[in-house]
């Protein structure tokens, strides 16, 4: 301990030495800022504000570490002068964080039990500073008017601030709308200056309307750019969630500042992926609340950036079902917003999807509900054929590494577009229910490609065979009228659903999707369908997953992208199936629950569904496909 | 009524204690919130009764009584008048912050940042951050003020103009209070001594506030009549306010237009020809306006109100004829003004 003492002292001395050097720098700054009220000093203050906060934070820690004010004053003799100067710098006192830290430093210097004259004097001074800050008016006329009109200062200042904000708002709105010469002075110069002045006011609720207008003013003039400091300050306030901006202002912030956009997308992903298995309806709500689909519809640049993020997430997460579902839902929300804005914007699809295979763009982006039902099968066969040709072309060039990388990229983009427009995959599944053995080939290929986009190890042919097997078993099971159910088909189906370490397994979700669609759409009695669904689900332990598929089917039915002449009947059927499965889940006793969990962990399906980092089906890896 | 009077007396006592008594040392957050609650109650009493002369009289009398006894107890005590009640929270704050016995913990509450988490579950409104918010608003105003050049009068004068109209409206609303309103304007004018030009801006802003009701039109009418009687203020307005603002006022108010025109004519009549300068100059020691400036005022006014031109020119012509109608520069200010206007 005694050996440590000198070391600590040495450390403290070094620390205070550094502080006094820095102190000198900041004291000089404070003096300069206080001397002139020119635009240059204002700019300099705003520029240094964030560093000043850090310094004040450091200073506060330093003050709190000292045993007494006398000691602090001894170490930092100019501290009082420095803090005092800052108190009368409106840029510093307007900024919420700086103000808080500044006040805390002053409180830190206050001695509850002053031990000497210095401390008593310091106490008096601190009281006086606070009193003056809160009650002193430097405008004598204003003070006289307030007194005579009986208006309290707190109300008066608030009114003046609101008035200023309103005037500035109006003023910004009047900025020039012509494209003017960069060397020419124009009224737009003030936009940059005003945005700079707003740096300390970012979190001030009264200034929010002005910040909103600044963010949303159309950039028609080269001189109307916003200050970078302003955008940085907004972005950091946004990430610490202390901004009170209107929706449209937030969209504009994303447009101006990519890092806040990224933050918004990542927090959406986090929030959605943390609650997977939740109702699809809730996902749509979450998406709408995130404002992102709306922002994407308004600004092509935002959409492109969000899509880039989705791309990389999809590669990292290897096509986890929940991520795919999020992307699909996001895209359809985006398309809806785009339709709402159609009369205002005219961005071409090509500009929105520059990397996608152009021949597939319109066919995939056309919603099933926008096409006659009779045309669906033909449309899907065409899609399947086109994609198949694309894969063959790209995979042929595998030998040559550069063309192979290019090919993988093209293939990924085709698959990414299919993920975005996965409602067509759902239609394919539904059509498979009513297909015969002779015409289910192209649809099964599309479904398999969706779940297994890479042909890693040339497995696609085998996976296709398994998909066909699964379809055959389901077809036979649902055709069967006699009971008990044919055990051979049941057993084979459950085997296909179980993990197969030796061979490339078919995505259990692919089979589950087929199973649920058969249960809902096949011309089989409800009791018969329920029995099959329940048996397979019980045997494989995929209750939650089946409920999830049912829920999203229900949502799709509401949106009108299902073949059905009798929506009501289908709704009742889905409800009945949902009830059976939910009761089934609830009825499981704890022991069974354990077994159930065990089965689930064995299949690995639930983990894949509920955790983005697990593999459910594979996507082209980022390592293989480099953009 | 009796209860209200008793409460008023207590409020004055509270203000006295807050400012001068060592008792505040015992205060905690709860006491502080209650004191502000009490002050808000007084502000409410003020807004409820200030336009009722009878009630106000009774309350003023009560306050006088309380003031007397409080002065006996606290020598430094400053009397509280009925009109002070409108800013009771502010008075309480000033008193507290100047009281050396105020515990530092109470000061910290007032200057702290308000957050939902720090809100107490008290029956009274939370006062945390009361001063913090004032400082934020004041600082923000200072930060933004260099950029608000768009307003002809300035944001502060605009707000003050609205305040003036509100107060005037309240005083006039009960009828028969014209003398009080008059007195009010006089006292504001007096209070603005040393900032007379700023007061002109406030009047201009008040006259330019949008009229949404008959009461507001009446208040502006009253203000114009008052201005008519205060010739010095009117003259100062005409010489100190920016030309564009004067034109706005002339367009908005016929009464102002005529008064403005009269001031211009008065300025002209006060001019004499200075041979040394070769120009008409004002005779008064304080030369507020040059001949050139005077001409510009007239021209701007004519441009804004074209029908005025004919009348004024007819008038100037008559005055010129009365001066002898000589066509020589430097003999009649009217003749020279006419030729300058028609140049």
């Amino acid at each position: 301990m005694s050996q440590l003492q000198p070391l600590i002292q040495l450390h403290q001395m070094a620390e205070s030495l550094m502080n006094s050097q820095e102190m000198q720098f900041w004291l000089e700054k404070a003096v300069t800022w206080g001397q002139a009220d020119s635009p240059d000093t204002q700019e300099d203050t705003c520029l240094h504000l964030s560093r000043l906060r850090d310094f004040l934070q450091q200073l506060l820690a330093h003050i709190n570490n000292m045993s007494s004010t006398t000691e602090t004053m001894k170490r930092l003799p100019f501290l009082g002068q420095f803090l005092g100067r800052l108190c009368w710098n409106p840029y510093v006192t307007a900024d919420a964080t700086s103000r808080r830290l500044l006040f805390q430093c002053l409180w830190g210097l206050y001695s509850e039990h002053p031990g000497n004259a210095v401390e008593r004097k310091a106490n008096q001074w601190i009281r006086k500073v606070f009193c003056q800050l809160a009650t002193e008016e430097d405008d004598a006329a204003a003070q006289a008017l307030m007194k005579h009109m009986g208006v309290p200062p707190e109300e008066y200042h608030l009114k003046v601030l609101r008035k200023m904000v309103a005037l500035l708002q109006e003023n910004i709105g009047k900025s020039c709308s012509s494209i003017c010469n960069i060397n020419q002075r124009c009224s737009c110069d003030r936009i940059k200056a005003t945005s700079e002045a707003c740096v300390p006011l970012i979190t001030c609720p009264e200034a929010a309307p002005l910040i909103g207008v600044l963010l949303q003013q159309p950039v028609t003039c080269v001189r109307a750019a916003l200050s970078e400091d302003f955008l940085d300050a907004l972005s950091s306030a946004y990430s610490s969630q202390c901004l009170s901006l209107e929706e449209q202002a937030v969209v504009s912030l994303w447009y101006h500042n990519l890092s806040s956009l990224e933050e918004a997308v990542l927090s959406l992903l986090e929030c959605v992926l943390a609650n997977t298995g939740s109702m699809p309806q809730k996902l749509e709500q979450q998406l709408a609340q995130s404002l992102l689909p709306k922002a994407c519809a308004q600004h092509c640049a935002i959409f492109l950036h969000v899509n880039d993020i989705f791309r990389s997430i999809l590669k990292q997460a290897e096509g986890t079902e929940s991520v795919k579902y999020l992307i699909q839902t996001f895209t359809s929300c985006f398309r809806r917003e785009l339709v709402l804005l159609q009369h205002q914007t005219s961005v071409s699809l090509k500009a929105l999807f520059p990397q996608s295979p152009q021949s597939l763009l319109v066919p995939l982006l056309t919603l099933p509900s926008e096409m006659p039902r009779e045309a669906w099968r033909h449309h899907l066969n065409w899609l399947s054929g086109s994609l198949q040709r694309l894969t063959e072309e790209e995979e042929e060039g595998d030998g040559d590494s550069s063309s192979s990388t290019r090919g993988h990229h093209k293939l990924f983009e085709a698959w990414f577009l299919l993920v975005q427009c996965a409602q067509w995959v759902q239609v394919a599944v539904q059509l498979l229910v009513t297909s015969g053995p002779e015409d289910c080939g192209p649809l099964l290929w599309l479904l398999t490609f969706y779940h297994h986009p890479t042909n890693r190890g040339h497995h696609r042919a085998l996976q296709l065979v398994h998909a066909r097997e699964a379809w055959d078993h389901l077809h036979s099971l649902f055709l069967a009228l006699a009971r008990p159910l044919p055990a051979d088909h049941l057993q084979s189906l459950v085997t296909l659903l179980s993990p197969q370490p030796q061979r490339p397994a078919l995505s259990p979700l692919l089979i589950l999707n087929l199973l649920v669609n058969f249960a809902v759409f096949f011309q089989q009695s409800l009791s018969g369908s329920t029995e099959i669904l329940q048996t397979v689900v019980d045997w494989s332990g995929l209750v939650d997953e089946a409920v999830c598929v049912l829920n999203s089917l229900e949502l799709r039915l509401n949106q009108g992208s299902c073949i059905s002449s009798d929506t009501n009947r289908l709704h009742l059927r889905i409800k009945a199936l949902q009830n059976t499965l939910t009761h089934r889940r609830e009825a499981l006793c704890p022991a069974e629950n354990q077994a159930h969990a065990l089965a689930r962990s064995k299949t690995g399906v639930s983990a894949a569904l509920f955790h983005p980092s697990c593999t459910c089906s594979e996507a082209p890896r980022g390592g293989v496909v480099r953009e | 009524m009796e209860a209200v009077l008793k409460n008023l007396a207590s409020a004055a006592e509270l203000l006295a204690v807050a400012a001068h008594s060592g008792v505040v040392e015992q205060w905690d957050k709860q006491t502080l919130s209650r004191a502000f609650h009490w002050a808000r109650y007084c502000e409410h009493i003020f807004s409820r009764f200030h336009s009722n002369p009878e009630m106000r009289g009774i309350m003023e009398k009560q306050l006088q009584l309380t003031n007397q006894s409080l002065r006996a107890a606290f020598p430094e005590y400053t009397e509280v008048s009925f009109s002070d009640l409108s800013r009771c929270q502010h008075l309480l704050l000033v008193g507290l912050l100047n009281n050396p016995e105020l515990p530092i913990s109470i000061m910290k509450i007032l200057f702290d940042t308000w957050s939902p988490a720090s809100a107490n579950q008290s029956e009274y409104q939370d006062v945390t951050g009361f001063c913090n918010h004032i400082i934020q608003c004041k600082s923000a105003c200072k930060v933004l003020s260099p950029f608000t050049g768009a307003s002809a009068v300035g944001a502060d004068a605009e707000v003050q103009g609205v305040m003036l109209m509100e107060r005037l409206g309240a005083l006039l609303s009960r009828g028969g209070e014209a003398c009080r309103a008059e007195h009010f304007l006089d006292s504001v004018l007096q209070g603005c001594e040393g900032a007379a030009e700023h007061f002109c801006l406030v009047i201009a802003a008040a006259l330019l506030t949008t009229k949404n009701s008959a009461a507001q039109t009446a208040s502006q009418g009253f203000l114009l009549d008052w201005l008519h009687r205060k010739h010095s203020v009117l003259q100062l307005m005409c010489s100190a306010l920016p030309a564009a603002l004067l034109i706005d006022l002339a367009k908005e108010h016929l009464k102002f237009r005529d008064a403005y025109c009269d001031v211009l004519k008065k300025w002209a009549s006060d001019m004499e020809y200075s041979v040394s300068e070769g120009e008409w100059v004002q005779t008064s020691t304080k030369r507020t306006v040059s001949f050139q400036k005077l001409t510009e005022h007239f021209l701007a006014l004519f441009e804004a109100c074209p029908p005025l031109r004919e009348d004024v020119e007819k008038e100037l012509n008559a005055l010129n004829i009365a001066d002898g109608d000589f066509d020589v520069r430097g003999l009649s200010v009217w003749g020279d003004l006419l030729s300058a206007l028609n140049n």
Side-chain angles (χ1 to χ4, degrees):
Chain A
M1 191 66 197
S2 57
Q3 276 177 327
L4 269 174
Q5 212 63 40
L7 261 176
I8 291 171
Q9 276 172 3
L10 203 69
H11 180 71
Q12 279 177 346
M13 261 174 70
E15 189 190 41
S16 83
L17 203 67
M18 175 206 78
N19 272 336
S20 61
Q21 261 175 8
E22 250 196 303
M23 185 83 238
Q24 197 54 40
F25 168 81
W26 285 108
L27 182 61
E28 275 163 28
K29 275 277 171 225
V31 171
T32 325
W33 293 338
Q35 271 165 354
D37 195 18
S38 72
D40 287 344
T41 47
Q42 286 155 18
E43 197 185 324
D44 193 57
T45 321
C46 291
L47 202 70
H48 284 84
L49 214 47
S50 111
R51 271 175 63 201
L52 177 66
R53 282 185 213 138
D54 294 343
F55 179 65
L56 284 172
Q57 186 78 61
Q58 220 177 305
L59 211 52
L60 180 62
H62 186 87
I63 293 171
N64 290 338
N65 273 338
M66 293 289 141
S67 62
S68 70
T69 302
T70 314
E71 194 195 342
T72 317
M73 299 301 238
K74 214 176 278 168
R75 288 194 193 243
L76 297 171
F78 296 111
L79 184 60
Q81 199 202 127
F82 172 67
L83 296 177
R85 281 179 186 277
L86 290 187
C87 280
W88 303 110
N89 185 323
Y91 285 82
V92 177
T93 49
D95 177 62
T97 312
S98 307
R99 188 173 62 243
R100 178 175 52 80
L101 290 168
L102 178 61
F103 288 0
Q104 281 175 348
C105 285
L106 286 171
W107 296 131
L109 290 179
Y110 191 91
S111 318
E112 200 71 61
H113 306 288
N116 53 42
V118 173
E119 291 182 357
R120 269 191 294 278
K121 200 131 180 96
N123 280 3
Q124 275 174 9
W125 176 74
I126 290 165
R127 280 176 177 273
K128 202 171 132 212
V129 165
F130 276 107
C131 180
Q132 284 180 337
L133 273 175
T135 61
E136 212 174 64
E137 290 299 330
D138 37 39
D139 183 352
Q143 197 173 12
L145 286 164
M146 275 186 261
K147 189 167 183 296
H148 281 95
M149 297 182 200
V151 175
E154 57 273 18
E155 186 186 323
Y156 170 75
H157 291 296
L158 190 61
K159 279 184 173 167
V160 174
L161 178 56
R162 290 201 174 125
K163 185 83 218 172
M164 280 184 174
V165 166
L167 283 169
L168 281 165
Q169 247 178 298
E170 209 179 306
N171 201 14
I172 298 296
K174 274 189 262 172
S175 54
C176 91
S177 52
S178 60
I179 294 161
C180 58
N181 190 332
I182 189 143
N183 299 317
Q184 218 172 358
R185 274 194 71 81
C186 78
S187 56
C188 295
D189 284 335
R190 65 168 178 260
I191 287 179
K192 187 157 191 265
T194 312
S195 67
E196 203 132 71
C198 282
V199 169
L201 309 179
I202 296 288
T203 57
C204 172
E206 284 80 19
L210 173 61
I211 292 168
V213 170
L214 279 170
L215 280 172
Q216 287 168 70
Q217 49 100 21
V219 191
T220 47
C221 170
V222 279
R223 304 187 72 91
L226 295 170
S227 134
E228 279 302 315
D229 293 330
F230 171 69
L231 291 171
D232 289 346
L234 269 175
S235 161
S236 81
Y238 178 79
S239 60
S240 46
Q241 292 172 330
C242 24
L243 270 191
S244 49
L245 289 182
E246 284 183 8
E247 281 191 358
Q248 214 40 53
V250 172
V251 173
S252 304
L253 173 63
W254 291 336
Y255 179 71
H256 285 289
N257 184 283
L258 282 186
S259 69
S260 49
L261 172 63
E262 273 161 20
E263 190 143 338
V265 177
L266 292 180
S267 87
L268 171 74
L269 280 165
E270 223 165 84
C271 157
V272 168
L273 298 180
N275 302 310
T276 40
S278 61
M279 302 291 280
Q281 285 89 335
K282 207 181 146 215
L283 176 62
E284 294 222 348
Q285 253 176 25
Q286 278 176 313
L287 285 174
Q289 272 165 10
S290 82
L291 262 184
L292 282 163
K294 201 173 181 178
C296 285
Q298 285 173 9
H299 299 283
C300 178
I302 293 187
F303 179 69
L304 292 178
H305 201 75
V306 170
N307 257 355
D308 273 344
I309 298 175
F310 283 161
R311 241 183 222 104
S312 70
I313 298 281
L314 204 50
K315 284 174 189 168
Q316 281 167 25
E318 296 240 304
T320 306
E321 205 54 35
S322 49
V323 174
K324 279 154 85 180
Y325 190 66
L326 167 69
I327 293 174
Q328 179 206 332
T329 316
F330 187 92
T331 312
S332 60
C333 289
F334 158 71
R335 290 220 47 202
R336 240 175 288 150
E337 294 288 349
L338 202 60
V339 170
L340 290 177
L341 284 178
Q342 221 154 35
H343 53 284
Q344 291 167 33
T345 54
S346 53
V347 186
S348 70
L349 285 180
K350 200 177 167 183
L352 290 167
F353 298 89
Q355 305 191 51
S356 310
Q358 298 300 307
S359 62
L360 291 172
L361 211 47
V362 175
L364 270 172
L365 282 168
T366 307
L367 288 174
S369 57
E370 292 167 343
M371 194 182 275
R373 280 173 193 162
E374 310 76 60
W376 284 358
R377 184 179 294 272
H378 178 75
H379 187 70
L380 280 165
N381 285 346
W382 181 87
L383 280 174
S384 175
S386 304
L387 283 165
Q388 219 166 324
R389 256 194 317 282
L390 202 72
T391 52
E392 281 158 13
E393 282 167 22
E394 304 316 335
E395 283 159 9
E396 261 169 30
D398 264 4
D400 171 16
S401 79
S402 78
S403 81
S404 144
T405 308
R406 230 185 4 257
H408 279 303
H409 170 67
K410 206 169 164 190
L411 195 56
F412 173 80
E413 286 303 325
W415 179 71
F416 182 45
L417 187 63
L418 184 67
V419 170
Q420 288 175 303
C421 307
Q423 49 285 50
W424 281 115
V425 178
Q426 293 308 318
V427 174
V429 179
Q430 197 188 330
L431 284 177
L432 275 167
V433 175
T434 50
S435 297
E438 65 292 341
D439 53 6
C440 66
L443 299 179
L444 277 174
W445 187 92
L446 189 70
L447 189 59
T448 313
F449 175 67
Y450 173 74
H451 286 280
H452 304 278
T454 58
N455 196 11
R456 232 179 288 162
H458 303 280
H459 285 151
R460 191 177 293 122
L462 196 57
Q463 274 151 344
L464 258 175
V465 170
H466 291 318
R468 179 69 190 226
E469 276 174 28
W471 183 83
D472 282 337
H473 295 311
L474 282 166
H475 200 65
S476 313
L477 274 170
F478 278 86
L479 274 177
L481 292 171
R483 289 294 181 267
L485 288 163
D488 50 339
H489 286 300
L490 266 179
Q491 189 53 55
S492 312
L493 198 61
V494 172
T495 311
L496 279 171
L497 272 168
S498 317
Q500 311 290 324
Q502 300 308 320
R503 58 183 172 83
L506 189 61
S507 161
L509 265 172
L510 185 158
I511 305 171
L512 208 58
N513 223 325
L514 272 174
L515 167 68
V516 168
N517 275 271
F518 263 100
V520 173
F521 295 109
F522 201 83
Q523 294 294 324
Q524 162 77 272
S525 69
L526 177 61
S527 61
S529 290
T530 311
E531 190 189 352
I532 300 168
L533 179 66
Q534 195 177 315
T535 314
V536 178
V537 162
D538 272 359
W539 283 19
S540 57
L542 297 171
V543 187
D544 291 334
E545 293 77 357
V547 171
C548 193
V549 174
L550 264 173
N551 287 345
S552 54
L553 191 61
E554 188 185 23
L555 182 69
R556 221 155 46 80
L557 195 65
N558 292 337
Q559 290 166 347
S561 35
C562 280
I563 312 176
S564 156
S565 46
D566 192 2
T567 325
N568 255 347
R569 191 185 62 86
L570 282 178
H571 265 303
L572 290 174
R573 205 174 162 98
I574 290 175
K575 269 275 162 298
L577 290 168
Q578 277 170 335
N579 282 341
T580 314
L581 289 183
T582 329
H583 286 150
R584 189 82 204 113
R585 188 167 50 184
E586 282 163 10
L588 290 172
C589 68
E592 267 176 289
N593 253 335
Q594 269 180 359
H596 178 72
L598 198 67
R600 278 213 280 171
S601 72
K602 268 200 284 188
T603 60
V605 171
S606 100
L609 243 181
F610 294 93
H611 203 284
S613 64
C614 290
T615 311
C616 174
S617 61
E618 71 273 39
R621 301 187 73 108
V624 179
V625 183
R626 215 169 260 123
E627 284 174 59
Chain B
M1 187 60 213
E2 225 164 277
V4 175
L5 289 179
K6 203 164 157 256
N7 285 342
L8 269 191
S10 311
E13 283 162 14
L14 169 71
L15 290 178
V17 166
H20 306 293
S21 163
V23 180
V24 292
E25 209 187 348
Q26 317 284 321
W27 280 26
D28 58 10
K29 191 170 178 180
Q30 174 80 0
T31 333
L32 182 72
S33 302
R34 231 176 81 202
F36 272 90
H37 179 75
W38 204 246
R40 267 194 304 278
Y41 165 79
C42 290
E43 288 176 8
H44 174 73
I45 293 289
F46 174 84
S47 62
R48 175 91 172 69
F49 294 113
H50 76 99
S51 53
N52 181 335
E54 197 189 335
M55 288 296 284
R56 202 177 45 212
I58 298 173
M59 290 184 183
E60 264 161 6
K61 199 163 276 169
Q62 172 64 55
L63 282 172
Q64 272 169 17
L65 280 174
T66 318
N67 280 334
Q68 272 172 19
S69 58
L70 285 171
R71 224 185 2 251
F74 303 105
E76 310 102 324
Y77 174 72
T78 31
E79 296 187 1
V80 177
S81 69
F82 180 78
S83 62
D84 285 335
L85 294 183
S86 65
R87 320 189 304 142
C88 208
Q89 289 186 85
H90 177 68
L91 293 180
L92 173 66
L93 181 70
V94 173
L96 281 174
L97 292 182
N98 282 299
N99 188 336
E101 302 301 327
L102 184 73
I104 207 72
S105 57
I106 296 285
M107 282 187 90
K108 282 183 187 171
I109 293 171
L110 289 167
F111 285 86
D112 207 353
T113 316
W114 188 86
S115 72
S118 74
N120 56 352
Q121 297 299 310
S122 145
E123 55 189 302
Y124 310 110
Q125 197 179 316
D126 193 11
V127 288
T128 309
F130 188 83
C131 296
N132 193 43
H133 194 234
I134 297 178
I135 296 168
Q136 179 174 43
C137 285
K138 280 207 298 201
S139 311
C141 285
K142 281 188 194 144
V143 167
L144 290 180
S145 69
F147 303 93
T148 47
S151 161
V153 296
D156 53 348
E158 276 197 49
V159 169
Q160 291 158 4
V162 173
M163 281 166 22
L164 188 73
M165 289 302 294
E166 280 170 0
R167 207 61 191 92
L168 214 46
L171 285 169
L172 293 170
S173 66
R174 287 177 63 89
E177 284 238 73
C179 67
R180 278 195 60 81
E182 174 110 29
H183 177 73
F184 160 68
L185 286 176
D186 288 345
S187 67
V188 175
L189 174 64
Q190 212 173 5
C192 282
E193 233 167 37
E197 288 192 13
H198 180 81
F199 186 55
C200 291
L201 280 173
V202 178
I203 296 176
L207 290 174
L208 289 174
T209 49
T210 40
K211 295 174 287 245
N212 297 320
S213 65
Q216 276 165 309
T217 314
S219 300
Q220 289 186 343
F222 186 88
L223 185 55
L224 283 167
D225 289 341
W226 178 81
L227 206 53
H228 206 73
R229 290 191 293 276
K230 297 281 176 237
H231 215 257
S232 61
V233 182
L234 186 62
Q235 286 217 47
L236 185 61
M237 275 182 85
C238 296
S239 61
L241 292 184
L245 194 56
L246 288 167
I247 295 304
D248 283 346
L249 286 168
K251 278 195 210 157
E252 194 65 37
H253 299 283
L254 206 65
K255 269 186 195 168
F256 184 85
R257 192 191 78 182
D258 295 343
Y260 179 31
C261 201
D262 286 345
V263 168
L264 294 182
K265 281 182 275 184
K266 170 90 171 48
W267 282 346
S269 73
D270 285 346
M271 284 179 165
E272 63 180 25
Y273 195 73
S274 154
V275 183
S276 60
E277 290 174 50
E279 189 56 278
W280 290 92
V281 290
Q282 276 176 303
T283 46
S284 60
T285 43
K286 242 186 12 192
R287 290 184 180 183
T288 44
V289 73
S290 67
F291 187 76
Q292 163 79 19
K293 199 91 198 135
L294 183 67
T295 319
E296 283 168 16
H297 272 291
F298 267 118
L299 286 173
L301 192 57
F302 291 164
E303 201 188 338
C305 328
L308 196 65
R309 184 175 198 127
E310 206 182 320
D311 294 346
V312 172
E313 282 189 347
K314 215 180 272 173
E315 215 177 316
L316 295 185
N317 220 5
L319 288 163
N320 185 32
I321 290 168
D323 275 352
D325 196 13
F326 297 107
D327 196 14
V328 182
R329 196 173 139 76
L331 284 182
S332 165
V333 73
W334 311 114
D336 288 358
L337 192 56
L338 268 173
S339 62
L341 291 177
N342 288 307
N343 225 338

